[in-house]
Amino acid sequence: MKQMTKAEEQVMQILWDLKESNVRSIVDKFDTPKPAYTTVATVLKVLEKKGFVTKVPQGKTHLFLPQISKEEYSGHQMGSLLKDYFNGSFSKMASFFAKENNLSVTELEEMIEMTKKEINKKK
Amino acid sequence: MKQMTKAEEQVMQILWDLKESNVRSIVDKFDTPKPAYTTVATVLKVLEKKGFVTKVPQGKTHLFLPQISKEEYSGHQMGSLLKDYFNGSFSKMASFFAKENNLSVTELEEMIEMTKKEINKKK
DNA sequence: TTTATTCTACTAGATTTGTAGTAGATGATG
DNA sequence: CATCATCTACTACAAATCTAGTAGAATAAA
């Protein structure tokens, strides 16, 4: 799958947040210094060419819609990270994370409880 | 921290693997079609400018050394992924992973056992 | 020591990324 | 209607990325 660049990802994050949007509202969501309207429009055009968004006419303007969900994209991102840095092993990644954050087994267990709840919630 | 591009990351993965290397051996590690010797040399120069590798003279050639460990870099990568896509919550990421891979709670528990072992091993 | 090999430094060109300006269309306001 | 605001499409241009060629130095082989 094509990658998003940093600039594209920023715009995309805002669009995911808004669910759908025209150019103007995306610009408004940026912290100052806000990029130029045309800058955001250009980035959206690239995202469109890459297949990450579509637009539909809406009155005098266009409404942009994500063509890929944040979940799907993050899944891919996580997949590459896993593959390239943890031999595809999630437990390697988890233990790395635990070590990195100085988590004890107890803390890990607590986190795991939360995770189980999340899983059940989502089922 | 500066990001590596895809090409840079590929070279870096090989260098991490070899611990240290001259240009030639890195080229050799590539699957065919292997990139040109000069291509790899150019990428290494960029990595050097970005501070990810250093080189020391070695006979008629140079030996390149990683200046950042794979662990450190993957920690950063994981950090951005976590921040940008999982609200900084590792358990969100874990449950996402579990769901994505259709893991049951039992399977998750098995994985967790492995993780605990890893943690103890590393202490 | 001539010749072939191999390496580095430098250069280069095509493509992508990042950022934005301008022109012209369309719609809103007085 | 005349003017103002806003939007899209098109263009632009610098910087980064990706890939590799060439020249000349250093070394090895014959």
Side-chain angles (χ1 to χ4, degrees), chain B residues 90-105:
Chain B
F90 188 78
S91 57
K92 267 209 186 62
M93 183 159 154
S95 66
F96 176 85
F97 176 81
K99 200 167 61 112
E100 177 111 315
N101 293 275
N102 262 313
L103 295 189
S104 64
V105 170

Side-chain angles (χ1 to χ4, degrees), chain A residues 49-63:
Chain A
K49 192 164 65 184
K50 290 190 177 174
F52 291 125
V53 311
T54 15
K55 64 168 182 238
V56 294
Q58 188 215 34
K60 103 174 177 174
T61 177
H62 287 128
L63 194 66

Side-chain angles (χ1 to χ4, degrees), chain A residues 6-56:
Chain A
K6 284 292 156 198
E8 286 156 24
E9 217 176 313
Q10 250 183 88
V11 168
M12 202 61 186
Q13 289 282 359
I14 293 174
L15 185 57
W16 275 324
D17 226 52
L18 297 175
K19 313 273 195 280
E20 55 175 46
S21 174
N22 52 28
V23 178
R24 179 57 58 198
S25 316
I26 293 178
V27 174
D28 289 345
K29 279 278 174 180
F30 271 89
D31 295 331
T32 40
K34 298 183 192 303
Y37 182 100
T38 46
T39 301
V40 173
T42 306
V43 171
L44 282 167
K45 191 178 311 261
V46 175
L47 284 169
E48 204 188 343
K49 192 164 65 184
K50 290 190 177 174
F52 291 125
V53 311
T54 15
K55 64 168 182 238
V56 294

Side-chain angles (χ1 to χ4, degrees), chain A residues 9 13 70-71 73 77-78 81 84-85 90-91 93 96-98 109 111-112 114-116 119, chain B residues 9 13 70-71 73 77-78 81 84-85 90-91 93 96-98 109 111-112 114-116 119:
Chain A
E9 217 176 313
Q13 289 282 359
K70 183 165 173 175
E71 287 66 36
Y73 190 70
Q77 292 299 101
M78 199 168 122
L81 191 65
D84 294 340
Y85 290 96
F90 189 78
S91 57
M93 182 158 155
F96 176 85
F97 176 81
E109 260 160 1
M111 212 177 69
I112 283 153
M114 285 170 54
T115 308
K116 281 189 198 161
I119 290 180
Chain B
E9 217 176 313
Q13 288 283 358
K70 185 166 171 174
E71 287 66 35
Y73 189 69
Q77 291 301 99
M78 201 169 119
L81 191 64
D84 293 340
Y85 289 97
F90 188 78
S91 57
M93 183 159 154
F96 176 85
F97 176 81
E109 260 159 3
M111 214 176 67
I112 284 155
M114 287 170 52
T115 306
K116 282 187 199 162
I119 289 179

